[in-house]
Amino acid sequence: MLMDVSTEYVEGWAEELAALTGGLGHLFARPEPREVFADLVEGLLSDLGRKNGWTMAGRAGHATPHRIQKFLGEASWSADGLLAEVQAYVARELGDPGATLVLDDTQVIKKGDKSVGVAHQHCGTTGDVRNCQVMVMLTYAAARGHTFYGRRLYLPQSWTKDRERCRAAGVPDEVSFATKPQLGIAMLEGAVADGLPFSWVAADADYGKDPALRSWLHEQRIRYVLAVPVTLPVQGPPGKPYLPKVAAAGDLLHYAIVREQWERRSQGEGSKGQRSYDWAWFEVTLPGQMPADGFAHRLLIRRSTEKKQLAGGRVDFDYAYFLIHAPAADPVTEAVCRAGVRWKIEENNELAKQTTGLGQYQVRRWTSWHRHVTCAMLALAFLTVQRARHPDPQTEPDLPAQRAGLDPADEGKAQETAGSGAFR
């Protein structure tokens, strides 16, 4: 974890943080916003229990939160300009051609109806529908660390259809409704345009089921492993006439159970040790959606290693489905590893909320929301970079297999099967 760093290394961080924020002074035309910017980022990285305008103002020695509120809401500076600097910092410090870009959304629970984008909508934090804001985030997961690279605020149609409400919250007139996968595509397009080095994209089923996102990735010839619902239309594998027809991802479970060709592999280290599952895979085609030239589609089925108590009181294995888009010669083991990398964005969401104040803002308008979230992204990126620069000498370096998400004992097996495109 990012915070697993010996205390003696923290002492030198103040100087590095000052150099980082000082180097971004060109974003602000006057000295006062430069000072408040440094105070705000330091406050977001501090050990304050709550990181709102009052607590951070008190820590910075301000009599009231007015200076921070003015900085976030009224001062003349660009949140997108700061975002570009954050992205350049992440690419410079963590850039890795083998990295994975991970898409997901996270929610912040809110009261009232004035905060930009707030609505009664699904809240992943609580698993139900409640009043919240939804932000779509893009994580850069590399060998040296993982942190946010992009952010978009999701505006439900109840907002975009009410232009008066949007104007009251400062939403630009040119901002129209976009689905969460469309916001994800926009961020991925930006990463490609920036020349950010990466090799895979991963996301959960809310994104994996979106055909437009998959089509864009096909056009760009990008490898992906996307969680998908059991209802995803697929065809395959070829079988005997009397066997059940395959029309959706869930239909392949019958073949996996009958063939009993599961292979146990780890998706990486978790809080309770290796996240091990049983896996089976099939070559499939997507009706009306071809892969890139030289690429193939495969469907991974992940099964829990033991039966569990599921919804409705049923006891069974827990299954999940992943669609792979990769060159036909690529080993499936690599996709298993990348599917585990998807959890890195959940770690970023949790850590940013707990440590750098990602969701602890007291702002309502479009501009101030983007400014606060981007400052929180900078704080998290700084923590990630410091952890990469100053590893704890008491912590053994990651083994290549652990970095890839494999059990160390399986590393040799993975090398043996590389290029086969199948489990052995």
Side-chain angles (χ1 to χ4, degrees):
M1 293 295 291
L2 291 174
M3 299 308 295
D4 185 21
V5 180
S6 297
T7 55
E8 61 260 29
Y9 289 94
V10 178
E11 298 176 358
W13 291 9
E15 183 177 344
E16 294 189 48
L17 179 60
L20 175 63
T21 55
L24 299 176
H26 63 276
L27 296 172
F28 313 103
R30 299 177 59 83
E32 182 177 80
R34 295 190 194 108
E35 295 172 3
V36 178
F37 171 64
D39 290 340
L40 177 60
V41 177
E42 288 179 14
L44 292 172
L45 287 164
S46 72
D47 58 358
L48 291 170
R50 288 287 297 171
K51 296 177 180 180
N52 55 42
W54 279 102
T55 59
M56 288 192 290
R59 182 185 180 280
H62 306 168
T64 71
H66 173 72
R67 294 180 68 189
I68 290 177
Q69 291 170 347
K70 182 178 180 180
F71 173 79
L72 292 174
E74 301 173 20
S76 178
W77 64 280
S78 168
D80 285 344
L82 177 59
L83 177 64
E85 295 287 354
V86 173
Q87 293 172 336
Y89 177 60
V90 170
R92 183 172 63 252
E93 297 290 342
L94 305 176
D96 175 6
T100 304
L101 286 174
V102 191
L103 275 173
D104 198 6
D105 49 80
T106 190
Q107 298 77 36
V108 176
I109 297 171
K110 288 290 180 181
K111 297 179 179 179
D113 60 1
K114 302 299 183 185
S115 296
V116 61
V118 70
H120 287 279
Q121 51 195 331
H122 176 72
C123 180
T125 304
T126 58
D128 58 9
V129 175
R130 62 178 58 206
N131 216 46
C132 63
Q133 290 170 308
V134 176
M135 58 184 89
V136 181
M137 308 299 289
L138 181 66
T139 274
Y140 187 67
R144 284 168 51 82
H146 53 92
T147 191
F148 292 131
Y149 188 83
R151 46 75 175 135
R152 289 288 194 280
L153 177 63
Y154 172 70
L155 292 181
Q157 288 184 315
S158 59
W159 272 83
T160 55
K161 288 181 177 179
D162 189 343
R163 300 316 302 184
E164 183 177 345
R165 186 185 189 191
C166 284
R167 291 188 186 101
V171 180
D173 287 341
E174 63 270 20
V175 175
S176 58
F177 176 73
T179 65
K180 296 167 193 174
Q182 286 172 336
L183 296 174
I185 291 172
M187 289 190 288
L188 290 171
E189 287 176 336
V192 171
D194 292 342
L196 181 69
F198 71 96
S199 59
W200 284 77
V201 168
D204 71 10
D206 286 339
Y207 298 86
K209 67 183 181 183
D210 187 79
L213 173 60
R214 297 196 305 266
S215 291
W216 184 86
L217 292 167
H218 297 165
E219 292 168 3
Q220 300 296 317
R221 299 180 57 80
I222 293 174
R223 292 173 172 87
Y224 66 65
V225 54
L226 306 175
V228 294
V230 296
T231 55
L232 180 76
V234 299
Q235 295 175 347
K240 297 179 180 180
Y242 60 83
L243 292 177
K245 180 181 179 181
V246 174
D251 296 335
L252 287 165
L253 181 58
H254 169 83
Y255 288 87
I257 293 173
V258 169
R259 295 179 180 182
E260 193 58 32
Q261 291 181 338
W262 302 95
E263 181 170 332
R264 186 158 299 179
R265 288 193 172 270
S266 171
Q267 279 195 287
E269 187 78 19
S271 59
K272 298 180 181 179
Q274 291 290 329
R275 295 185 175 108
S276 293
Y277 295 91
D278 293 330
W279 300 84
W281 73 273
F282 302 90
E283 294 182 0
V284 297
T285 58
L286 271 63
Q289 196 165 54
M290 297 297 294
D293 289 344
F295 281 56
H297 281 129
R298 302 180 180 95
L299 190 89
L300 274 172
I301 301 179
R302 188 187 73 189
R303 185 183 71 178
S304 58
T305 57
E306 297 179 354
K307 291 185 176 181
K308 298 182 178 182
Q309 186 88 26
L310 304 178
R314 183 170 58 93
V315 176
D316 197 355
F317 292 106
D318 186 27
Y319 296 97
Y321 299 79
F322 299 86
L323 181 67
I324 307 169
H325 177 253
D330 278 12
V332 178
T333 49
E334 178 69 12
V336 170
C337 302
R338 302 292 175 160
V341 175
R342 185 172 59 93
W343 282 316
K344 298 301 184 184
I345 196 167
E346 296 180 15
E347 293 178 6
N348 286 157
N349 288 333
E350 180 180 2
L351 186 61
K353 288 179 179 179
Q354 294 179 353
T355 306
T356 67
L358 180 68
Q360 297 178 20
Y361 45 80
Q362 294 176 316
V363 297
R364 290 184 172 181
R365 294 173 61 80
W366 175 269
T367 295
S368 50
W369 183 91
H370 284 83
R371 289 176 173 182
H372 174 92
V373 169
T374 309
C375 287
M377 288 173 61
L378 175 64
L380 183 65
F382 176 77
L383 280 181
T384 306
V385 170
Q386 294 310 302
R387 178 65 178 85
R389 286 180 177 177
H390 308 293
D392 190 332
Q394 297 179 359
T395 302
E396 293 184 7
D398 287 345
L399 297 172
Q402 292 172 325
R403 288 200 301 268
L406 295 172
D407 284 320
D410 286 341
E411 185 178 11
K413 185 190 299 183
Q415 292 173 347
E416 291 173 6
T417 60
S420 68
F423 292 140
R424 295 295 186 188

